[in-house]
Every structure is written in structure tokens, then in C-alpha cells.
Amino acid sequence: MSKIRTLNRQFISNLETHKAVTDAKRNLILSILKSTTTKREAKNYLTKYQNQFDLPDETPKAGTIYEQSLSRRDNQRELFIKRFLNAQNPFISIYDDEETKLQKIPLRLAIFKIKFPTISLRQWKGIAETFKRLMTLGISPIILLDYDHLSHGSFKKNELYMINQANKMLSILGKPEEQEDLKATILRNSFSVADGQITIDSLELILIPLYQGIIPIIQPIVFNADTTMQEFLKCNTLLNSLCTALVDRRTTDLLSIEKIVMIDPLGGIPSIERKQTSHVFINLSQEYSDIMSELFIGHISPKIRDLHVENLNSMNEILTSIFEKSGNDETTGIITTPEVMSIHNDQLNPIIYNVLTDRSIISSSLPSTNKRTPQLSTTIVKKGVDVQIFDQENNFSGSDFTMDNLIASKKVDKKKLTELLEDSFGKKLIVDEYYERINNRLATFILVGDYDGAAIITWEYSGDKKVAYLDKFAIAKRNQGLPGLADIIFKIILQSHPVELIWRSRKNNPVNKWYFERCCGCMSAPESQWKIFYTGDIFDKRIDRMKDKKKQNNKKKKTATMMMMNNSQKVAGVNADTHVDILKNLEQYSDICEGIVPSFA
């Protein structure tokens, strides 16, 4: 009877374990699907992070092959720790005793630099919840507390202050004995300085806590071998040195730096275009110098400006270094405020949302003048892609700016451009007719990367009216869905032709919703296959509805005439005393878009 009771209890226990594991899997998947906006984003996240979750269908018995298999995350991490404790090289191949080569399961790191003096207790509790969520999603955080505000006084006094602050943070993050609370440890003297070079003494001392699910809090204290004394490091210097040391280990596939996060009360990099709220997204390869120049034109105080410049410079150095060493642009920089990081909502917290989607909360190409576009205090930063912009003003003069001349001067590779257009649209381009049509009409040509994307804008005419027309907006299929690429191109398109721009799209094009969010208006005739979009400064002005009373057959009829006022500024050669006839413009747009022959067979 006792054996039956034991078996019964074991059976019930196994059922409960199986139910708990199943519920954990289901809840995790549901939360991911709820927080991502597209199937592609959910798939990309799960593909990248799925091996970060050790959730077997059932609890294996001790000593079974499954439990010992290095295909499991925890077993790989236990092997790493075991080797280190046995004074072995933990970075050698984990496949020495395996007949079949297995995929290594790397740590997905997010390094947080936190300016903490003004963070309230409420914000700290929210930040702790964010760390919990990130760890649930497969991220391993590393924390650097920024002590740059300390005066260069007594080392002992500053050290005691740092220890006190770190201990306070440990108590905020949670009690180690509580299973649901975070576990953290303080690391000091992890770095050394010799001959001006900063090196990490033992990377394993940082990685082992991460393997154990413990968050390391690194103190900016280094041992100077030249003076044989301890000293403090600037936090940005420590951050750069840590990233360099971690990236040097990247070839072992033991880790990858996913996010560099700066938590600063100032928030993201301010933008004049967005009324000094933050830039949504920065493509460093294209925008770094322009944004740096913008910070120095006097729209913010010098003290605040210098802090933003320091953040942007540091982020640029780190992301550039990672890109040069690793050869890819996977690492994302995030600059935000403590208040924003404390938000406990996957779709509103930009750090969690970026882990799930690799995007910013809103699109950077949404018009900043649109009242529906939110104003943010978070900036997403990427090393990004190189962008080349060819137009009449910057590259050629007068009538010499043609597609033929761009091709002849080898600024454009006709074969690659044709392949890009055909790949993007999935159709065969009518090559000769198309290039002949756009040759002398070319207004702007935008090329991204090695033909990863492109845009062709032409000048089109309706009577005497000359209008910029977005003829082609192409992204290679391998890059479709790549976060930020479409935004980068479309933002440049709008900046190149800010006054007036039109384009067309087939009515059944699934991208039309995306276009609609970025235009001032659209129209379509019932008999037409096209939906016509238009945008520009002339449509951002106030529209007055003036009612003219007319008598016809002794009856009063009201007619509404929509006119665009210029608000005393000249736009596209129209002054404040001149009305823009919207209906006439729409007729001209329709004539242009309906009259252009399709480019594909």
C-alpha cells in the first residue's frame, strides 16, 4: 500500500511539474506574441532567443543522456564554470567529447550604464521589474553605476560611498533567498591599467555570475600597475573597456552584446525637428556628424549639450568598435530615462520592446509635425548603413544630372540596381523603356549600403506644374523587415523633397497602411488601380473652409472651398496672399500618376 501511495504522489508531482512547465511555455509565448506587432518580429525573436529557455517537456531523471547533453543551456554553462574552477581554459571547444557538433548557446548581454543619484525608490522598483522581464526574455544584464558626479577627493571616502550605494541597490533589486527576486553581486577591481592600457583581469569573474542567473554590478575601480594604487575610472571609459574585452571573446560564440543601454535623466539625444524631444532613431553611419553639429547651434544650454555630446560620442565609439571587430550591426544602443525604464509594459518600455522587435516604439519616419506622432525621451542608436544621396545640387550641375551620367561615371551600377528593383518588386523590369523614361527626369537617387535599398525620385509635369514623384522605393527581399531600413530611406526621401511629394501604390498593396501613416492625404478613383499619396510642407499648413453664398434660381446654396494658407511664409513660391487650390492640385496629381506607364512586365 505504501508503494502505491508513493507512486501516486510521484505521478501527481510529475503532472504538476508538467503543468507548470507547460504553463510557463504558454505564458511566455503569449506574452511575446502580444508584445510584437508582426509575425515576422515574433519569429525573429524566437529564432534568436529560443535556446535561452531551458523548459523541457518533462523533468529528466538524474543521469539520463538528456540531462547531460550539451544541447541544453544550463549544462553548457555548468561545464564553463566547472572548467574555470578546475583551472582549465573555459573558452576551449565544448564539443571535445561530443560525436555530433552542437550549437553553442551564447549569453545575450545587455550592458546598462546608470546615472543613479536622482532615481527615486519608485523608479528603482520599476527598474527592478524591467530587469526581471529582460531576464525572462533571455537577456543577461550587466550593470555599471555611474559615479562621475563624485568630486576628486579622498579615495577612501568615495569608495565607502560607492559601496553604500551598491548595497542599497542590492536591497532594492530583491532578497537573494526569495526565488522570484533578482540576484546580484558587486564586482570591484576587475580591471587593471598598465602603460595607459586598460585590461580586464578575469572575464570569467563577470561571466560566471551571468551563467548562474546573477546580475554583476561592476564598480569603476581599477588597479594601476604603474603607480601600484587603486583609482577610479570614468564610467564611459569603463563601459568602452568592458565592451572591448567582451567582443574580443566573441569568436568563441560564448556571448554576444545585444544592447548598450544608457540610463540618464536627460534622456535621448534632443532633436530640433522634434521640438527638442529625442531623436527616435539615429543611423550613425549617416547622421552622426549632422546631429553632432546640430547640438552645437545653441538650442540647448552648454552644460546639457556637453552631457548629450558625451553620450553620443561614447555610443558611437562603442558601436563602431563592435562593428569593426565583429563585422555586423547587431548591437543596438538605447539612451533613455529612469522613468521610462521603470515602465512595466512590454509595448511602452523601449528597452523591452527593442529586445522583442529590434525597433523603436514608434517609427522614425513618421512626420514630426503630425499631432498623432508621440514625443519620446528615448533614442535608439545603430551603427547602421552607409547612405549615398545623388541630386542635381550636390553631384551634378544643370542638365548633366541624368541616370545615364550616374551610370557612366560608375556612381550607379545599372545591373545591381536592376537586380534590386526586380528582387524587391518580384517582377521583371522593362529595362530599356524604364531607364529611358527616368533619364532626364531624375530628381534624386538614394542608395543604401551595397544595393540593400534604393529610392528613385523624378520630376513629373502636369501642364506647367512640376512635382517630385517617388518613382521607386525598393528594399532587397533579404532586408525586408530589417528594423529601421525602410525608415532610413523614407526619412531621406522626405528631407530631400520637403515641399511637395507624391507617389502611387496599387490598391491591394499591403504596404498602403504604412504609406498612409506617412502622408498628408491620399485619393483613389473607383475605376483606377492606383491609390495616390501626397505629402509636403504645403499640406502641413492650416486649411480654411470658406463658405461662399451664391444665388441660383432664387435659392441659396452653400459651397465649401478648401484653400491652403501659407501662414505668412513662402512655400514653393507661394506667398501668404496666394491660396493653394487643393482640388486643382489633386487633379494634377491624378493626371501624373495615372499617366505613368507601369515599369514591370
PDB file of all heavy atoms in Angstrom, residues 467-481:
ATOM      1  N   VAL A 467       6.269  68.513 -60.200  1.00  0.00           N
ATOM      2  CA  VAL A 467       6.060  67.845 -58.914  1.00  0.00           C
ATOM      3  C   VAL A 467       7.077  66.721 -58.741  1.00  0.00           C
ATOM      4  O   VAL A 467       7.366  65.977 -59.688  1.00  0.00           O
ATOM      5  CB  VAL A 467       4.630  67.259 -58.813  1.00  0.00           C
ATOM      6  CG1 VAL A 467       4.410  66.619 -57.446  1.00  0.00           C
ATOM      7  CG2 VAL A 467       3.590  68.327 -59.068  1.00  0.00           C
ATOM      8  N   ALA A 468       7.618  66.598 -57.526  1.00  0.00           N
ATOM      9  CA  ALA A 468       8.509  65.476 -57.207  1.00  0.00           C
ATOM     10  C   ALA A 468       7.667  64.218 -57.024  1.00  0.00           C
ATOM     11  O   ALA A 468       6.698  64.207 -56.258  1.00  0.00           O
ATOM     12  CB  ALA A 468       9.300  65.776 -55.942  1.00  0.00           C
ATOM     13  N   TYR A 469       8.066  63.155 -57.733  1.00  0.00           N
ATOM     14  CA  TYR A 469       7.293  61.903 -57.737  1.00  0.00           C
ATOM     15  C   TYR A 469       8.200  60.751 -57.300  1.00  0.00           C
ATOM     16  O   TYR A 469       9.272  60.537 -57.884  1.00  0.00           O
ATOM     17  CB  TYR A 469       6.742  61.648 -59.143  1.00  0.00           C
ATOM     18  CG  TYR A 469       6.153  60.269 -59.353  1.00  0.00           C
ATOM     19  CD1 TYR A 469       4.941  59.916 -58.773  1.00  0.00           C
ATOM     20  CD2 TYR A 469       6.814  59.327 -60.145  1.00  0.00           C
ATOM     21  CE1 TYR A 469       4.398  58.650 -58.977  1.00  0.00           C
ATOM     22  CE2 TYR A 469       6.283  58.065 -60.355  1.00  0.00           C
ATOM     23  CZ  TYR A 469       5.074  57.729 -59.762  1.00  0.00           C
ATOM     24  OH  TYR A 469       4.543  56.478 -59.960  1.00  0.00           O
ATOM     25  N   LEU A 470       7.798  60.049 -56.260  1.00  0.00           N
ATOM     26  CA  LEU A 470       8.556  58.884 -55.791  1.00  0.00           C
ATOM     27  C   LEU A 470       8.281  57.726 -56.742  1.00  0.00           C
ATOM     28  O   LEU A 470       7.265  57.039 -56.637  1.00  0.00           O
ATOM     29  CB  LEU A 470       8.151  58.529 -54.355  1.00  0.00           C
ATOM     30  CG  LEU A 470       8.799  57.273 -53.755  1.00  0.00           C
ATOM     31  CD1 LEU A 470      10.314  57.351 -53.809  1.00  0.00           C
ATOM     32  CD2 LEU A 470       8.318  57.058 -52.321  1.00  0.00           C
ATOM     33  N   ASP A 471       9.211  57.532 -57.670  1.00  0.00           N
ATOM     34  CA  ASP A 471       9.004  56.549 -58.734  1.00  0.00           C
ATOM     35  C   ASP A 471       9.244  55.130 -58.229  1.00  0.00           C
ATOM     36  O   ASP A 471       8.473  54.221 -58.529  1.00  0.00           O
ATOM     37  CB  ASP A 471       9.943  56.868 -59.899  1.00  0.00           C
ATOM     38  CG  ASP A 471       9.661  56.017 -61.119  1.00  0.00           C
ATOM     39  OD1 ASP A 471      10.187  54.890 -61.192  1.00  0.00           O
ATOM     40  OD2 ASP A 471       8.900  56.476 -61.983  1.00  0.00           O
ATOM     41  N   LYS A 472      10.326  54.929 -57.478  1.00  0.00           N
ATOM     42  CA  LYS A 472      10.634  53.592 -56.965  1.00  0.00           C
ATOM     43  C   LYS A 472      11.160  53.698 -55.535  1.00  0.00           C
ATOM     44  O   LYS A 472      12.004  54.545 -55.225  1.00  0.00           O
ATOM     45  CB  LYS A 472      11.690  52.893 -57.839  1.00  0.00           C
ATOM     46  CG  LYS A 472      11.198  52.506 -59.223  1.00  0.00           C
ATOM     47  CD  LYS A 472      10.201  51.363 -59.162  1.00  0.00           C
ATOM     48  CE  LYS A 472       9.701  51.013 -60.562  1.00  0.00           C
ATOM     49  NZ  LYS A 472       8.762  52.024 -61.094  1.00  0.00           N
ATOM     50  N   PHE A 473      10.648  52.821 -54.694  1.00  0.00           N
ATOM     51  CA  PHE A 473      11.102  52.688 -53.310  1.00  0.00           C
ATOM     52  C   PHE A 473      11.331  51.200 -53.100  1.00  0.00           C
ATOM     53  O   PHE A 473      10.387  50.433 -52.926  1.00  0.00           O
ATOM     54  CB  PHE A 473      10.034  53.245 -52.366  1.00  0.00           C
ATOM     55  CG  PHE A 473      10.367  53.120 -50.902  1.00  0.00           C
ATOM     56  CD1 PHE A 473      11.674  53.052 -50.454  1.00  0.00           C
ATOM     57  CD2 PHE A 473       9.357  53.080 -49.950  1.00  0.00           C
ATOM     58  CE1 PHE A 473      11.976  52.946 -49.110  1.00  0.00           C
ATOM     59  CE2 PHE A 473       9.638  52.974 -48.601  1.00  0.00           C
ATOM     60  CZ  PHE A 473      10.948  52.909 -48.181  1.00  0.00           C
ATOM     61  N   ALA A 474      12.601  50.785 -53.168  1.00  0.00           N
ATOM     62  CA  ALA A 474      12.913  49.354 -53.223  1.00  0.00           C
ATOM     63  C   ALA A 474      13.829  48.937 -52.082  1.00  0.00           C
ATOM     64  O   ALA A 474      14.792  49.636 -51.752  1.00  0.00           O
ATOM     65  CB  ALA A 474      13.580  49.017 -54.558  1.00  0.00           C
ATOM     66  N   ILE A 475      13.517  47.791 -51.497  1.00  0.00           N
ATOM     67  CA  ILE A 475      14.363  47.173 -50.472  1.00  0.00           C
ATOM     68  C   ILE A 475      14.547  45.709 -50.853  1.00  0.00           C
ATOM     69  O   ILE A 475      13.572  45.010 -51.163  1.00  0.00           O
ATOM     70  CB  ILE A 475      13.728  47.281 -49.076  1.00  0.00           C
ATOM     71  CG1 ILE A 475      13.597  48.754 -48.667  1.00  0.00           C
ATOM     72  CG2 ILE A 475      14.557  46.527 -48.044  1.00  0.00           C
ATOM     73  CD1 ILE A 475      12.915  48.964 -47.339  1.00  0.00           C
ATOM     74  N   ALA A 476      15.790  45.254 -50.863  1.00  0.00           N
ATOM     75  CA  ALA A 476      16.067  43.863 -51.221  1.00  0.00           C
ATOM     76  C   ALA A 476      15.288  42.921 -50.308  1.00  0.00           C
ATOM     77  O   ALA A 476      15.122  43.191 -49.118  1.00  0.00           O
ATOM     78  CB  ALA A 476      17.566  43.580 -51.118  1.00  0.00           C
ATOM     79  N   LYS A 477      14.809  41.831 -50.869  1.00  0.00           N
ATOM     80  CA  LYS A 477      13.970  40.906 -50.101  1.00  0.00           C
ATOM     81  C   LYS A 477      14.666  40.408 -48.839  1.00  0.00           C
ATOM     82  O   LYS A 477      14.036  40.200 -47.803  1.00  0.00           O
ATOM     83  CB  LYS A 477      13.566  39.716 -50.983  1.00  0.00           C
ATOM     84  CG  LYS A 477      12.293  39.958 -51.781  1.00  0.00           C
ATOM     85  CD  LYS A 477      11.719  38.669 -52.323  1.00  0.00           C
ATOM     86  CE  LYS A 477      10.304  38.861 -52.853  1.00  0.00           C
ATOM     87  NZ  LYS A 477      10.187  39.888 -53.885  1.00  0.00           N
ATOM     88  N   ARG A 478      15.981  40.230 -48.916  1.00  0.00           N
ATOM     89  CA  ARG A 478      16.713  39.748 -47.740  1.00  0.00           C
ATOM     90  C   ARG A 478      16.684  40.764 -46.604  1.00  0.00           C
ATOM     91  O   ARG A 478      16.914  40.415 -45.443  1.00  0.00           O
ATOM     92  CB  ARG A 478      18.163  39.438 -48.115  1.00  0.00           C
ATOM     93  CG  ARG A 478      18.985  40.661 -48.496  1.00  0.00           C
ATOM     94  CD  ARG A 478      20.414  40.315 -48.876  1.00  0.00           C
ATOM     95  NE  ARG A 478      21.213  41.491 -49.173  1.00  0.00           N
ATOM     96  CZ  ARG A 478      21.243  42.110 -50.340  1.00  0.00           C
ATOM     97  NH1 ARG A 478      20.505  41.631 -51.340  1.00  0.00           N
ATOM     98  NH2 ARG A 478      21.997  43.181 -50.528  1.00  0.00           N
ATOM     99  N   ASN A 479      16.406  42.026 -46.951  1.00  0.00           N
ATOM    100  CA  ASN A 479      16.389  43.084 -45.939  1.00  0.00           C
ATOM    101  C   ASN A 479      14.987  43.565 -45.596  1.00  0.00           C
ATOM    102  O   ASN A 479      14.835  44.428 -44.736  1.00  0.00           O
ATOM    103  CB  ASN A 479      17.214  44.284 -46.426  1.00  0.00           C
ATOM    104  CG  ASN A 479      18.672  43.950 -46.604  1.00  0.00           C
ATOM    105  OD1 ASN A 479      19.245  43.212 -45.811  1.00  0.00           O
ATOM    106  ND2 ASN A 479      19.277  44.465 -47.659  1.00  0.00           N
ATOM    107  N   GLN A 480      13.978  43.038 -46.273  1.00  0.00           N
ATOM    108  CA  GLN A 480      12.613  43.462 -45.975  1.00  0.00           C
ATOM    109  C   GLN A 480      12.239  42.977 -44.584  1.00  0.00           C
ATOM    110  O   GLN A 480      12.371  41.811 -44.259  1.00  0.00           O
ATOM    111  CB  GLN A 480      11.655  42.933 -47.033  1.00  0.00           C
ATOM    112  CG  GLN A 480      11.837  43.615 -48.380  1.00  0.00           C
ATOM    113  CD  GLN A 480      10.912  43.079 -49.456  1.00  0.00           C
ATOM    114  OE1 GLN A 480      10.055  42.244 -49.195  1.00  0.00           O
ATOM    115  NE2 GLN A 480      11.089  43.554 -50.680  1.00  0.00           N
ATOM    116  N   GLY A 481      11.782  43.884 -43.773  1.00  0.00           N
ATOM    117  CA  GLY A 481      11.526  43.576 -42.377  1.00  0.00           C
ATOM    118  C   GLY A 481      12.699  43.903 -41.483  1.00  0.00           C
ATOM    119  O   GLY A 481      12.589  43.845 -40.261  1.00  0.00           O
TER     120      GLY A 481
END
